[in-house]
Amino acid sequence: DTEVTQTPKHLVMGMTNKKSLKCEQHMGHRAMYWYKQKAKKPPELMFVYSYEKLSINESVPSRFSPECPNSSLLNLHLHALQPEDSALYLCASSHDPGYPTGELFFGEGSRLTVL
Amino acid sequence: AQKITQTQPGMFVQEKEAVTLDCTYDTSDPSYGLFWYKQPSSGEMIFLIYQGSYDQQNATEGRYSLNFQKARKSANLVISASQLGDSAMYFCAMRGRTGGFKTIFGAGTRLFVKA
């Protein structure tokens, strides 16, 4: 079983809806990440939280709004999305954001469909 | 700039045989980490193996080994005794100081294991 839990596993939403993706880890990791993955493509980094502070935003449109309420939780708030935002959204965590040795621990992903 | 290249979009291997998945990289960082991840059709990214740039020996994890040739900037994954469950997408990834310790992924190689 994965140690990074993502909910919901599947989400269908209209372009005017507001929804949230949730991610939780209890491994004591201090870095958490959101990735977007389109079919047959590698994951693309969206956001990085380091010690609960947003440290990297890869020029993501403002219709995606991340939140890190505490060291174990990471949310991605979705509003006014476009059909091209349909993708698999992966949450990941790592021990320490500042060293090259840290592998990422991924959740199972939330598969988002925007109608 | 950092770059990961996987030139094999798809590979076939007979069950119980070994297979090598190619990965080359480019970086100016003196210290970096190289990773391989497996992504089954279910979507979860699974960490397989890690190689540090200063490690003298090739990394091994069970049936996985990493053939690290630093001068050639290659980090090929070798899977021994392939199993049907090894059929998946495999991503080579790198993490280093350039780019703020972000993990970047190659395009991936789809592995098909034949019975």
Side-chain angles (χ1 to χ4, degrees):
Chain A
D1 290 341
T2 181
E3 296 182 80
V4 177
T5 304
Q6 288 188 244
T7 55
K9 288 187 168 40
H10 299 274
L11 178 63
V12 179
M13 59 186 292
M15 289 189 284
T16 59
N17 292 157
K18 286 185 180 180
K19 297 287 185 182
S20 296
L21 305 181
K22 298 184 184 301
C23 176
E24 189 169 5
Q25 59 88 13
H26 293 288
M27 295 179 282
H29 290 173
R30 304 317 303 265
M32 295 187 77
Y33 311 76
W34 280 115
Y35 281 86
K36 173 183 178 180
Q37 187 179 25
K38 302 285 273 184
K40 299 182 181 181
K41 296 291 186 181
E44 296 176 4
L45 183 64
M46 300 175 72
F47 303 103
V48 180
Y49 273 83
S50 172
Y51 294 90
E52 302 163 46
K53 302 284 187 211
L54 181 65
S55 62
I56 295 176
N57 176 343
E58 291 287 272
S59 302
V60 179
S62 59
R63 58 185 183 269
F64 295 91
S65 175
E67 178 195 21
C68 189
N70 59 57
S71 60
S72 299
L73 294 174
L74 185 66
N75 299 322
L76 186 62
H77 303 297
L78 314 171
H79 174 54
L81 295 192
Q82 304 297 310
E84 58 265 29
D85 297 321
S86 298
L88 180 67
Y89 288 83
L90 292 162
C91 174
S93 67
S94 67
H95 289 282
D96 190 308
Y99 291 92
T101 59
E103 73 266 31
L104 298 174
F105 293 77
F106 283 88
E108 293 182 346
S110 293
R111 197 166 295 278
L112 173 67
T113 302
V114 182
L115 301 176
Chain B
Q2 295 184 322
K3 187 177 180 181
I4 292 277
T5 302
Q6 294 180 255
T7 57
Q8 304 157 313
M11 290 280 287
F12 287 87
V13 64
Q14 196 68 37
E15 192 179 13
K16 300 181 184 178
E17 292 185 350
V19 63
T20 298
L21 307 184
D22 294 340
C23 173
T24 59
Y25 63 92
D26 192 19
T27 182
S28 56
D29 283 334
S31 176
Y32 51 90
L34 296 159
F35 307 83
W36 278 92
Y37 292 86
K38 172 185 178 182
Q39 188 175 39
S41 56
S42 59
E44 182 185 0
M45 296 278 284
I46 302 166
F47 165 71
L48 296 178
I49 196 167
Y50 161 80
Q51 179 83 44
S53 58
Y54 289 118
D55 294 342
Q56 296 296 316
Q57 293 190 331
N58 289 340
T60 60
E61 289 286 349
R63 293 187 298 111
Y64 304 108
S65 61
L66 200 153
N67 184 358
F68 181 47
Q69 297 188 44
K70 193 170 183 177
R72 294 185 177 183
K73 294 190 174 179
S74 73
N76 298 339
L77 177 70
V78 180
I79 305 175
S80 62
S82 295
Q83 301 172 355
L84 295 178
D86 293 334
S87 294
M89 194 74 165
Y90 289 81
F91 291 100
C92 181
M94 178 170 64
R95 181 183 172 99
R97 185 178 298 276
T98 301
F101 290 111
K102 293 184 290 188
T103 299
I104 62 166
F105 291 86
T109 295
R110 171 73 66 181
L111 179 66
F112 300 91
V113 180
K114 300 182 290 183

